[in-house]
Amino acid sequence: MPTNRQILLDNRPQGEATLANFKLVSTETPALQDGQVLVRHHYLSLDPYMRGRMNDAKSYAACQPLGQVFQGGTVGEVVESRHPRFAVGDKVVGYGGWQEYSVVDANQPGMLKKVDTTRVPLSHYLGAVGMPGVTAWYGLNKIIAPKAGQTLTVTAASGAVGSAFGALARARGCRVVGIAGGPDKCRYVTDELGFDACIDYRQHGDVKSMSAALKAECPDGIDGHFENVGGYILDAVLLRTNAFARIALCGMIAGYDGQPLPMANPALLLINRIRLEGFIVSEHMDVWPEALAELGQLVGSGKLRPRESIAQGIESAPQAFLGLLKGKNFGKQLVKMV
Amino acid sequence: MPTNRQILLDNRPQGEATLANFKLVSTETPALQDGQVLVRHHYLSLDPYMRGRMNDAKSYAACQPLGQVFQGGTVGEVVESRHPRFAVGDKVVGYGGWQEYSVVDANQPGMLKKVDTTRVPLSHYLGAVGMPGVTAWYGLNKIIAPKAGQTLTVTAASGAVGSAFGALARARGCRVVGIAGGPDKCRYVTDELGFDACIDYRQHGDVKSMSAALKAECPDGIDGHFENVGGYILDAVLLRTNAFARIALCGMIAGYDGQPLPMANPALLLINRIRLEGFIVSEHMDVWPEALAELGQLVGSGKLRPRESIAQGIESAPQAFLGLLKGKNFGKQLVKMV
């Protein structure tokens, strides 16, 4: 059996997460039992929600146990199978965690899914045609539920969720304004993803400046907002919302590493009769088939061109993850191992 | 024609509202034209939303024009009529403003409504069986939509909205915990209104203490919350919410008079997948008949025993209103003129 390098959560962060929270170990993969499949991971998915799992505190993502393989989505290839529905060579998406191989009990529903890589590259099943894409789909369709012609905004617009949100919203005839960090990301958001505009938050570092930029790009106000970041950007968005605006609250990455970030003026939620809803997409599995079908078409037709930041080798996962928390990635952050 | 004393908004508050913002004047009521009715006001309604209207800034309540009669709900008696559907002696509810008499164009739909005072005292049509009661009804049924056995909380529990909320929630089989200021109000909330418990916020003046009190009274967590106040009490409620809790955001009176009050940790909305919705009941006129029918039954049957604070005479309206903003009222704040 092959040697399997793994990243464990060794200890919990005090404030900011650091490399010292993780530990690299090597083990042997065990012999398969009936019903099991050995998957060699090609890519690990790195996602902001993982930061919440590192804490002991109550979080929407269950707590990551100490001393165990760091959990997360994976895509790979079946290299050995003792299950009739999986054959060596099958490409699969699963939840194998930060390791090079995983042994999967394939009888458990939802643990492993075969995917077709003829039109969609394997890695995209961790991004645009995976959990992040469905996250964008759910927030857009089930919470914001916009009408054609309305104006929508999204933070972290160049990321895996934001980019999918933009493509889906454009397909519904909305004006979509992204918010991202730096000119390269903003150019990608408008030129490759087809957003109507993108605001560089590095040029608008306080609520007043961001609010003015939003006013310029959203002359008819904001009807719906998809939030990945929180903090002063959300405060500025609230100042530009129209009556009955809806906010899908998906992430607040700006506050993940330290003290909670306040919302400056929640009375705006009342003044503008806003509906705000927090959600986690894994609690809405019923929408996944419909969402994945649409996302697969958008990627297959080239209307959604996901960008990826790829770190090499399992040992690079912690550093790449810390970079993701600081917005150093460009598009979906992955770790490539094959 | 009788002399009509009126309170005008003379100038807008700079920060806290004061008596100097108002002005008392006397005018003659004009002769009626066809279709008009002269109403002598018995009671004026004083409501927290009026504070928002005093500002020039955008608010959910439209701005109160300077130099004009301060707008608000009224109940009274028809003393002269040139409209076939209204006769002298009819008891009516309307929106006559802070004055002793109003001339109403009774052909305009919704301007004047006859009410039956055989089972419900006239003043309650400004409270439990009026706008505040319907406000509670809407938030409970259309936003929180609780199941029997769930735990709900409400701030300003002894007030016109909070007391109706409690009675309605009890009728749906929920555990209801109120939050109010001082032992007298808390005793009324539990002993007369039938709430399961009431927390005195004066005994719990910070988020930690309030959160501990909520934990004690809501051992199964909070499934739904009706917010009239905002500030640290809302912060404490958020710490005790269950997954998928719903928050009806009706008022944030704690911040009406000065700087916006922040929400300390909005990430809790995400962590607990909360749906929060701001609303104003006048935008949901479709629910009023159903809501008023239920509220009338609750009052008629004695299950909802509204309390009233009554100021005497039109000239007392500004002072009583400023007291309302500071929680000096006990139950619905009215001004009695007949």
Side-chain angles (χ1 to χ4, degrees):
Chain A
M1 307 303 290
T3 298
N4 183 22
R5 292 192 299 163
Q6 306 174 312
I7 307 271
L8 316 181
L9 182 65
D10 189 56
N11 55 82
R12 302 197 186 278
Q14 311 296 320
E16 198 166 328
T18 68
L19 291 180
N21 301 133
F22 301 95
K23 185 179 177 184
L24 179 67
V25 299
S26 285
T27 59
E28 299 302 306
T29 55
L32 294 189
Q33 303 185 347
D34 268 351
Q36 290 187 331
V37 169
L38 181 65
V39 179
R40 184 176 186 192
H41 298 157
H42 288 209
Y43 294 94
L44 311 181
S45 178
L46 301 186
D47 300 282
Y49 78 85
M50 294 167 168
R51 177 62 187 82
R53 296 180 54 106
M54 294 176 75
N55 294 340
D56 211 4
K58 186 180 172 189
S59 167
Y60 67 90
C63 178
Q64 160 74 43
L66 284 179
Q68 296 192 18
V69 175
F70 203 85
Q71 296 165 9
T74 46
V75 289
E77 185 176 356
V78 173
V79 291
E80 194 184 334
S81 176
R82 290 185 63 181
H83 192 284
R85 283 194 295 106
F86 291 92
V88 171
D90 282 350
K91 298 295 191 296
V92 289
V93 56
Y95 204 69
W98 291 11
Q99 53 184 340
E100 293 174 309
Y101 293 87
S102 61
V103 174
V104 182
D105 184 349
N107 283 321
Q108 271 197 281
M111 290 302 285
L112 205 62
K113 198 180 105 180
K114 271 192 269 195
V115 293
D116 177 1
T117 55
T118 54
R119 293 185 72 219
V120 172
L122 182 60
S123 61
H124 287 1
Y125 288 103
L126 294 176
V129 193
M131 183 275 287
V134 180
T135 299
W137 192 98
Y138 186 88
L140 178 71
N141 290 297
K142 297 299 179 178
I143 297 178
I144 300 176
K147 298 188 182 74
Q150 289 191 321
T151 299
L152 310 185
T153 48
V154 56
T155 47
S158 70
V161 176
S163 57
F165 182 86
L168 291 163
R170 290 289 299 151
R172 274 155 194 69
C174 295
R175 176 174 176 83
V176 196
V177 176
I179 298 162
D184 291 346
K185 287 182 179 176
C186 284
R187 205 159 27 240
Y188 164 67
V189 165
T190 52
D191 296 0
E192 289 185 53
L193 293 174
F195 280 61
D196 296 282
C198 189
I199 297 168
D200 181 356
Y201 67 76
R202 294 189 195 158
Q203 301 296 318
H204 303 283
D206 59 47
V207 68
K208 193 176 168 188
S209 173
M210 177 56 73
S211 171
L214 285 164
K215 187 177 186 180
E217 298 297 355
C218 307
D220 299 326
I222 296 170
D223 301 298
H225 175 65
F226 191 105
E227 184 58 65
N228 289 306
V229 175
Y232 82 94
I233 300 179
L234 178 56
D235 289 334
V237 166
L238 284 175
L239 289 168
R240 296 296 165 206
T241 44
N242 291 326
F244 308 110
R246 293 187 177 193
I247 297 176
L249 187 58
C250 170
M252 301 199 87
I253 197 170
Y256 284 180
D257 249 353
Q259 288 302 306
L261 277 179
M263 178 186 287
N265 191 2
L268 291 167
L269 298 169
L270 171 58
I271 291 168
N272 290 333
R273 292 86 85 202
I274 289 173
R275 181 188 289 182
L276 177 153
E277 190 166 343
F279 74 104
I280 170 170
V281 75
S282 58
E283 292 175 333
H284 304 282
M285 295 309 295
D286 54 310
V287 309
W288 283 56
E290 182 184 356
L292 289 174
E294 182 174 359
L295 292 158
Q297 283 170 359
L298 283 173
V299 170
S301 67
K303 284 182 184 155
L304 170 52
R305 282 181 280 179
R307 190 110 167 201
E308 295 172 336
S309 285
I310 298 178
Q312 295 291 335
I314 181 75
E315 66 279 8
S316 69
Q319 184 68 64
F321 177 66
L322 300 180
L324 169 71
L325 294 177
K326 295 188 183 307
K328 291 183 179 167
N329 60 307
F330 193 150
K332 173 69 194 180
Q333 180 66 56
L334 298 165
V335 177
K336 188 174 194 308
M337 288 173 300
V338 175
Chain B
M1 307 303 291
T3 297
N4 184 22
R5 292 191 298 163
Q6 306 174 311
I7 307 273
L8 316 181
L9 181 65
D10 190 56
N11 56 82
R12 302 196 185 278
Q14 311 295 320
E16 199 166 328
T18 69
L19 291 180
N21 300 133
F22 301 94
K23 186 179 176 184
L24 178 68
V25 299
S26 284
T27 60
E28 300 301 306
T29 55
L32 294 189
Q33 303 185 347
D34 268 352
Q36 289 186 334
V37 168
L38 181 65
V39 179
R40 184 175 186 190
H41 298 156
H42 289 208
Y43 294 95
L44 311 181
S45 178
L46 301 185
D47 300 282
Y49 78 85
M50 295 168 166
R51 177 62 187 84
R53 297 180 54 106
M54 294 177 75
N55 295 340
D56 212 5
K58 185 180 173 188
S59 168
Y60 67 90
C63 179
Q64 161 74 42
L66 283 179
Q68 296 192 18
V69 175
F70 204 84
Q71 297 165 8
T74 46
V75 288
E77 185 177 356
V78 173
V79 291
E80 195 186 334
S81 177
R82 291 186 63 181
H83 192 284
R85 283 196 292 108
F86 291 92
V88 170
D90 282 350
K91 298 295 192 295
V92 289
V93 56
Y95 203 71
W98 292 11
Q99 53 185 339
E100 293 174 308
Y101 293 87
S102 62
V103 174
V104 182
D105 185 349
N107 283 321
Q108 270 196 282
M111 289 303 283
L112 205 61
K113 200 180 105 180
K114 271 190 271 195
V115 293
D116 178 1
T117 55
T118 53
R119 293 185 71 217
V120 173
L122 182 60
S123 60
H124 289 359
Y125 288 103
L126 294 176
V129 193
M131 182 275 287
V134 180
T135 298
W137 192 97
Y138 185 90
L140 178 71
N141 291 296
K142 296 298 180 178
I143 297 177
I144 299 175
K147 297 188 182 75
Q150 290 191 321
T151 299
L152 310 185
T153 48
V154 56
T155 47
S158 69
V161 176
S163 57
F165 182 86
L168 291 164
R170 291 288 300 152
R172 273 154 194 71
C174 294
R175 176 175 177 82
V176 196
V177 176
I179 298 162
D184 291 345
K185 288 182 180 177
C186 283
R187 206 160 24 237
Y188 165 65
V189 166
T190 52
D191 296 359
E192 290 187 51
L193 294 174
F195 281 61
D196 295 282
C198 189
I199 298 168
D200 181 357
Y201 67 76
R202 294 189 195 157
Q203 302 296 320
H204 302 283
D206 59 46
V207 68
K208 193 174 167 190
S209 172
M210 177 57 73
S211 171
L214 285 164
K215 187 176 185 180
E217 298 296 356
C218 307
D220 299 327
I222 296 169
D223 301 299
H225 175 66
F226 191 105
E227 184 58 64
N228 288 307
V229 174
Y232 82 93
I233 300 179
L234 179 56
D235 289 335
V237 166
L238 284 176
L239 288 169
R240 296 295 163 206
T241 45
N242 291 327
F244 308 111
R246 293 186 176 194
I247 298 176
L249 187 58
C250 170
M252 302 197 87
I253 197 171
Y256 283 0
D257 249 353
Q259 288 301 306
L261 277 180
M263 177 186 289
N265 191 3
L268 291 167
L269 299 169
L270 171 57
I271 290 169
N272 289 333
R273 292 87 86 201
I274 290 172
R275 180 190 287 180
L276 178 153
E277 189 165 344
F279 75 104
I280 170 170
V281 74
S282 58
E283 292 175 333
H284 305 280
M285 294 309 294
D286 54 311
V287 310
W288 283 56
E290 181 185 357
L292 289 174
E294 181 174 1
L295 291 158
Q297 283 170 359
L298 283 173
V299 170
S301 67
K303 284 183 184 154
L304 170 52
R305 283 182 278 178
R307 190 109 168 202
E308 297 173 333
S309 286
I310 299 179
Q312 295 291 333
I314 181 77
E315 65 279 8
S316 69
Q319 185 69 61
F321 177 65
L322 299 181
L324 169 70
L325 294 178
K326 295 191 184 303
K328 291 184 180 166
N329 60 307
F330 192 149
K332 172 70 192 179
Q333 180 67 55
L334 299 165
V335 177
K336 188 172 193 308
M337 288 173 302
V338 174

